[in-house]
Amino acid sequence: MRPRPPVNGRGIFSGTGLIITGLTATLFALIFPIWSYADRSGTGVDVLNAQTVSTRYGPLSGLDREFITKVRLAGLWELPAGEQAQQKGTTQAVRTAGQHLVEGHTYLDERVRDVASRLGLALPNEPNDQQQGWLKELDAAQGTDYDRRFANILRLAHGRVFSLVAQVRASTRNSLVRDLADDANTTVLDHIKVLEATGYVDFDALARDMAATSTPPITNSPAPPGPTTDPVPAVPLAPTPTPSPSYSLPPAASSPPPEGSS
């Protein structure tokens, strides 16, 4: 018996087959970008929700926790550095800068410990290795060499944290962290000004440091126990008033370094 000839309009090349093939290709094109970017860190959604937990004061992100830790670390070494500057500084401007550091970080440390307690976060109790190294360097310095090292080390540290404060203030969804960032911004800016008023700050070195240490990608800080992965934004039970700084600082003293000391 002779084989039947093919029937026109059947198979993948028929009208229906072409429609199904086209729909499948479109669906694959839509799914592939989602799959290919799902594991890439550093995207906006990843930054916003990485290791985020819900709290009564709003979502608490990994960046928020990193900021709280750094505020505590700053006080652990800058407060003793300020006390030392009040004793070892050879100019009134350096001693005044030391006074600002002591009073500013005494206040901020009280604030950060209160915030950490409300959020159930553990805080460090000693400076990190780099900060301990800075304190040792200041311990060994004397005279105008001490003044210069004090002004530049502290100005460098404050410049680095200043950008973090701004980033947290702009992005946080947690009311406690937002208020703490306001206080930190005021305090850090005050310290930057009084350190610059000593006349010892090397602005060229600061510019080189900022160029060499561009902002690294946000690292996911370990999250405390609790729900994760894109929580629904929480609303604080009641507004938490932020106390105004309880310290009143004198204006920065302007005292350029002695001639020939550069």
Side-chain angles (χ1 to χ4, degrees):
M1 183 173 61
R2 296 174 60 187
R4 294 180 59 187
V7 179
N8 293 333
R10 293 185 178 180
I12 191 171
F13 295 107
S14 67
T16 302
L18 289 174
I19 292 174
I20 293 174
T21 302
L23 290 174
T24 301
T26 301
L27 181 62
F28 178 78
L30 291 173
I31 293 175
F32 179 76
I34 298 174
W35 168 81
S36 62
Y37 281 90
D39 295 330
R40 295 189 182 185
S41 61
T43 62
V45 173
D46 180 71
V47 168
L48 194 61
N49 296 317
Q51 300 296 320
T52 298
V53 297
S54 293
T55 77
R56 61 183 294 187
Y57 304 100
L60 183 71
S61 70
L63 181 62
D64 293 338
R65 292 192 297 278
E66 179 182 349
F67 165 69
I68 292 170
T69 298
K70 287 189 174 181
V71 171
R72 170 64 171 173
L73 284 170
L76 289 174
W77 83 277
E78 291 179 24
L79 199 156
E83 292 175 339
Q84 183 186 70
Q86 290 179 288
Q87 302 299 320
K88 295 179 65 174
T90 67
T91 69
Q92 183 57 46
V94 172
R95 292 190 291 270
T96 298
Q99 180 183 355
H100 280 238
L101 288 175
V102 170
E103 297 188 13
H105 282 291
T106 297
Y107 171 74
L108 267 189
D109 196 62
E110 293 175 356
R111 290 279 291 113
V112 75
R113 285 188 284 112
D114 177 66
V115 168
S117 176
R118 295 189 188 194
L119 296 174
L121 300 177
L123 292 176
N125 289 316
E126 62 180 22
N128 61 33
D129 292 343
Q130 183 182 50
Q131 293 164 344
Q132 292 181 31
W134 284 335
L135 286 173
K136 291 178 180 178
E137 183 176 344
L138 293 176
D139 286 340
Q142 301 293 331
T144 57
D145 180 54
Y146 172 84
D147 294 340
R148 186 179 296 104
R149 290 178 185 272
F150 167 79
N152 283 283
I153 291 174
L154 271 298
R155 176 59 179 82
L156 173 66
H158 280 82
R160 288 177 178 176
V161 77
F162 198 42
S163 59
L164 174 63
V165 174
Q167 183 181 7
V168 170
R169 182 60 181 82
S171 65
T172 186
R173 294 174 287 167
N174 187 282
S175 61
L176 287 183
V177 175
R178 188 177 302 117
D179 291 341
L180 180 63
D182 283 338
D183 290 338
N185 181 75
T186 300
T187 302
V188 172
L189 182 57
D190 170 74
H191 293 175
I192 286 175
K193 289 180 177 179
V194 293
L195 290 165
E196 291 174 351
T198 64
Y200 285 103
V201 172
D202 185 343
F203 290 97
D204 291 338
L206 288 175
R208 290 192 296 269
D209 176 79
M210 294 302 295
T213 58
S214 57
T215 304
I218 297 172
T219 56
N220 298 339
S221 302
T228 59
T229 65
D230 205 9
V232 177
V235 179
L237 297 183
T240 304
T242 302
S244 300
S246 57
Y247 55 91
S248 178
L249 293 172
S254 180
S255 178
E259 293 184 6
S261 62
S262 60

